[in-house]
Amino acid sequence: MPQPLPNASDFLPGPVLLLGAPGVGKGTQAQLMMAEFGIPQVSTGDLLRENRRNRTPLGMTADELMNTGQLVPDNLVNDMVSARLQEPDTQHGYILDGFPRTLNQAEWLDRQLVAYMLPVVAICIKVDEATLLKRITGRRISPAGAIYNIYFNPPKVEGICDVDGSKLEQRSDDTEEVFHERMKAFRSKTAAVIDYYRSHGGRFCEVDGDKPVHEVTHEIRKSLLSLRHHPEA
Ligand code: AMP
């Protein structure tokens, strides 16, 4: 059984990156970590979708790229992340979900964090590609952000959120066709980011994302405590 976590006052998670291909469970795990560690999830995908909904210039530029599974240019994403990380809730740490996705973004983040109290640590979640396809095409999300999957974690009533009864939605890029484009972007750009953190010893762990959600959470928690040299690790 997982032990209760040290509370935020005696354990500072610092900046944590969740890395991995589309559909490995970064969003689900980031939400669970957020509740457990009391630090915010910073999802670049969510921030871009919010910009898209609000029809900001960034949202309008990102729209077509997101719909076709391509990456939004580094300078735009970096500026967006920079603004988010200046908010006071990130003071004791944060979970970056979906960032960095290119080497350029990773190097930019390292430069940003030079003065930060703790170095950034990266946890990579691995899942085989056939499972990822089902996770992506089966994913349904409530407007409040609860995540379901019609194959692996269906809601009690089809199309309806168990928590607040809202109508579940499918992301426009969660189709098979766009999934393959997103995997191409992952292989050509983001795989190098994983190697970047792997090659900088002491800041990288890999966990098997094919296990049940709570087991993956447990592995991530263990990895984080060990990367931070916490005695409970
Ligand atoms: P996600 O919700 O993380 O799967 O991201 C959805 C889409 O947003 C991606 O397919 C990209 O088009 C865009 N996106 C999210 N994060 C980034 C990033 N760090 N760099 C570039 N594009 C991104």
Side-chain angles (χ1 to χ4, degrees):
M1 279 295 285
Q3 299 300 306
L5 262 184
N7 63 37
S9 61
D10 55 346
F11 179 69
L12 295 182
V16 184
L17 312 183
L18 281 187
L19 304 175
V24 293
K26 300 187 292 289
T28 301
Q29 293 298 336
Q31 285 180 7
L32 292 166
M33 288 170 79
M34 184 167 73
E36 196 168 17
F37 292 100
I39 54 173
Q41 169 194 21
V42 176
S43 154
T44 44
D46 285 349
L47 291 172
L48 288 167
R49 279 183 286 278
E50 190 183 321
N51 273 277
R52 206 163 55 166
R53 271 195 306 279
N54 295 336
R55 304 188 146 266
T56 65
L58 170 61
M60 305 303 265
T61 307
D63 185 46
E64 175 68 12
L65 295 166
M66 293 172 79
N67 283 337
T68 51
Q70 296 170 68
L71 296 185
V72 175
D74 290 335
N75 59 328
L76 300 181
V77 180
N78 292 352
D79 286 351
M80 178 183 77
V81 170
S82 171
R84 177 65 185 89
L85 296 188
Q86 280 166 35
E87 290 176 30
D89 62 338
T90 61
Q91 188 181 342
H92 297 302
Y94 45 84
I95 306 143
L96 268 173
D97 155 13
F99 184 93
R101 261 176 156 98
T102 66
L103 265 185
N104 197 317
Q105 292 177 10
E107 286 164 1
W108 172 86
L109 184 67
D110 271 352
R111 287 196 298 276
Q112 289 281 304
L113 295 181
V114 173
Y116 200 84
M117 53 180 172
L118 288 168
V120 65
V121 291
I123 299 174
C124 178
I125 310 175
K126 278 189 74 173
V127 173
D128 75 78
E129 199 168 325
T131 309
L132 290 180
L133 176 62
K134 278 189 119 175
R135 286 198 186 181
I136 287 285
T137 54
R139 176 158 61 184
R140 300 292 182 273
I141 302 175
S142 80
I147 305 169
Y148 298 86
N149 186 288
I150 59 169
Y151 305 112
F152 306 118
N153 172 34
K156 292 195 183 88
V157 180
E158 194 185 322
I160 303 293
C161 177
D162 296 349
V163 182
D164 61 14
S166 58
K167 200 165 166 276
L168 299 180
E169 289 160 8
Q170 184 171 22
R171 266 170 54 172
S172 57
D173 58 345
D174 276 352
T175 61
E176 178 159 358
E177 193 191 350
V178 182
F179 168 75
H180 292 302
E181 289 308 313
R182 289 160 73 192
M183 282 305 296
K184 260 192 221 162
F186 174 75
R187 277 190 287 265
S188 65
K189 308 260 174 60
T190 313
V193 172
I194 294 171
D195 290 340
Y196 175 83
Y197 289 106
R198 197 198 307 271
S199 67
H200 288 64
R203 347 198 258 163
F204 179 84
C205 272
E206 205 157 56
V207 302
D208 176 3
D210 247 335
K211 296 185 178 154
V213 173
H214 70 276
E215 283 182 39
V216 180
T217 311
H218 182 61
E219 286 301 309
I220 291 178
R221 173 185 180 279
K222 246 177 46 188
S223 301
L224 178 56
L225 293 181
S226 130
L227 287 167
R228 292 291 183 219
H229 308 293
H230 193 279
E232 271 190 36

